[in-house]
């Protein structure tokens, strides 16, 4: 939490999908139908994240 999109990208690599909605940027690494991490950024800072299929 609190990391910039560039800091997250340095760890996870390039996001597979990003989309803007109501002042936020939601980026997904992986496939939302299987293994993935989804991080929501507000003001270029990570504010929430979810994941599925990871051990």
């Amino acid at each position: 939490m609190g990391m910039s999109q560039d800091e997250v990208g340095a760890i996870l690599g390039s996001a597979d999908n990003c989309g803007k909605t109501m002042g936020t940027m939601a980026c997904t690494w992986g496939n939302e139908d299987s293994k993935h991490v989804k991080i929501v950024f507000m003001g270029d800072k990570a504010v929430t994240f979810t994941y599925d299929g990871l051990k």
Side-chain angles (χ1 to χ4, degrees), residues 12-33:
L12 297 178
S14 297
D16 294 303
N17 186 25
C18 287
K20 290 184 180 182
T21 305
M22 298 178 66
T24 65
M25 172 76 76
C27 294
T28 304
W29 287 260
N31 184 334
E32 286 194 66
D33 295 330

Side-chain angles (χ1 to χ4, degrees), residues 1-48:
M1 303 310 297
M3 294 175 71
S4 71
Q5 191 170 352
D6 287 341
E7 290 171 322
V8 173
I11 295 168
L12 297 178
S14 297
D16 294 303
N17 186 25
C18 287
K20 290 184 180 182
T21 305
M22 298 178 66
T24 65
M25 172 76 76
C27 294
T28 304
W29 287 260
N31 184 334
E32 286 194 66
D33 295 330
S34 60
K35 295 180 183 180
H36 72 276
V37 173
K38 183 174 186 176
I39 301 177
V40 177
F41 298 91
M42 184 177 286
D44 196 39
K45 298 293 180 190
V47 292
T48 64

